[in-house]
Amino acid sequence: MGSKNAVTYKEIFPLIKEDKLWLGYGFRKDDAYFRIPLERAMGYAPGVYNPATGLVHFRNCTWYTNLDIQKRHEELTLFKRYYGNEEEYPHYANYDAIEVSKVSDIPCDYYEEIGVPITYLDKHNPDQFEIIGASRWLGKPMSEIAPKGSYVSGGVRFYLPVESSQNVHVERERERERERERERERERDSSSAVSTTEWSSSAAGYRRLYDRIVIKRKVQRCHGRSHHLFG
């Protein structure tokens, strides 16, 4: 059992990539409760520790396992299409892959590499997708691509060019709301491990994203039609 952010730790991610470790069933609605000694009850943010029950509430925990379970063989149903909607799937500035900010938006007709949030691993099916890597190891340093001041510096992550299109504006608003929600969770759960993700932010030319997992399709499927890729 551990923090969901542990999927990107350098000791953990290689095991996930090599299909030696995966996420278990987790907790219902991501709500995990633990009973703690009374002397450890001090210091939690309001709403985390319940003195009536003696339980601490965490929302960032999951199970890690190497036991085969049914959910890792459930095929992710894909409905959206890339071709004809290319503006919804921008390419990263420092890696050759497209951005898919929601698991439900993974296109059914795109067979090259895509970047998805770490929450994808809750639904990963190794028979359907291959895990290529993660942004913190795959991304090219932005110092080799763009002038200083045009991007937010920090550890290697994926970046997107700042655009003025409506689609990017809408996605930016969604990310701001996710940032606010994560901040509220951090306040509720001050005892959780330090997040390995960064706040999505922008400078003059490029936006820096949260950690991304890069995956690639093994099976083509659109509207019930499928065939395997070879070679």
Side-chain angles (χ1 to χ4, degrees):
M1 186 186 302
S3 165
K4 288 183 177 180
N5 291 324
V7 298
T8 58
Y9 292 177
K10 60 183 176 62
E11 300 87 358
I12 301 298
F13 183 74
L15 299 175
I16 294 176
K17 181 179 181 294
E18 295 166 12
D19 205 25
K20 296 178 179 179
L21 183 73
W22 46 87
L23 272 62
Y25 282 102
F27 298 90
R28 185 176 182 180
K29 296 182 179 181
D30 287 334
D31 291 324
Y33 296 89
F34 299 92
R35 189 176 302 279
I36 63 171
L38 182 61
E39 60 271 18
R40 299 290 301 276
M42 303 298 294
Y44 287 101
V48 176
Y49 174 70
N50 186 336
T53 62
L55 299 178
V56 177
H57 180 203
F58 294 89
R59 296 183 59 86
N60 195 34
C61 294
T62 192
W63 287 95
Y64 293 86
T65 183
N66 61 357
L67 298 176
D68 200 17
I69 52 178
Q70 181 180 348
K71 88 164 189 173
R72 69 188 299 261
H73 299 291
E74 295 174 352
E75 186 169 306
L76 187 62
T77 303
L78 308 175
F79 296 100
K80 298 202 68 172
R81 291 181 176 271
Y82 171 79
Y83 294 101
N85 303 288
E86 290 89 343
E87 72 282 355
E88 297 181 20
Y89 300 98
H91 281 258
Y92 298 121
N94 58 331
Y95 187 73
D96 186 14
I98 61 170
E99 160 72 358
V100 180
S101 60
K102 294 172 59 179
V103 174
S104 59
D105 288 342
I106 294 176
C108 67
D109 60 343
Y110 192 79
Y111 313 112
E112 301 304 321
E113 295 182 11
I114 66 175
V116 291
I118 63 175
T119 53
Y120 160 82
L121 292 176
D122 275 322
K123 301 177 176 63
H124 176 60
N125 178 344
D127 300 321
Q128 187 179 13
F129 288 94
E130 174 188 2
I131 297 177
I132 304 298
S135 56
R136 60 176 54 203
W137 294 288
L138 294 176
K140 186 177 181 180
M142 285 297 290
S143 60
E144 301 177 12
I145 296 175
K148 186 176 181 179
S150 65
Y151 59 92
V152 176
S153 61
V156 176
R157 297 293 189 278
F158 288 159
Y159 288 76
L160 287 176
V162 173
E163 299 174 3
S164 58
S165 69
Q166 181 63 28
N167 287 329
V168 172
H169 174 73
V170 170
E171 177 55 27
R172 202 173 296 156
E173 289 301 317
R174 289 175 179 171
E175 289 194 3
R176 289 195 186 104
E177 179 54 34
R178 288 196 288 269
E179 290 173 16
R180 289 191 287 267
E181 177 57 27
R182 288 187 182 219
E183 183 61 31
R184 288 192 289 268
E185 289 186 7
R186 283 161 62 99
E187 293 174 356
R188 291 194 298 264
D189 188 5
S190 61
S191 64
S192 64
V194 175
S195 174
T196 62
T197 61
E198 304 287 343
W199 295 139
S200 180
S201 51
S202 62
Y206 298 91
R207 286 191 297 136
R208 186 171 188 264
L209 304 178
Y210 297 115
D211 281 295
R212 291 296 190 259
I213 305 297
V214 177
I215 60 175
K216 188 174 182 179
R217 295 278 300 284
K218 287 185 176 180
V219 178
Q220 299 184 15
R221 181 178 295 274
C222 280
H223 301 296
R225 299 179 180 179
S226 67
H227 65 275
H228 290 266
L229 292 174
F230 297 94

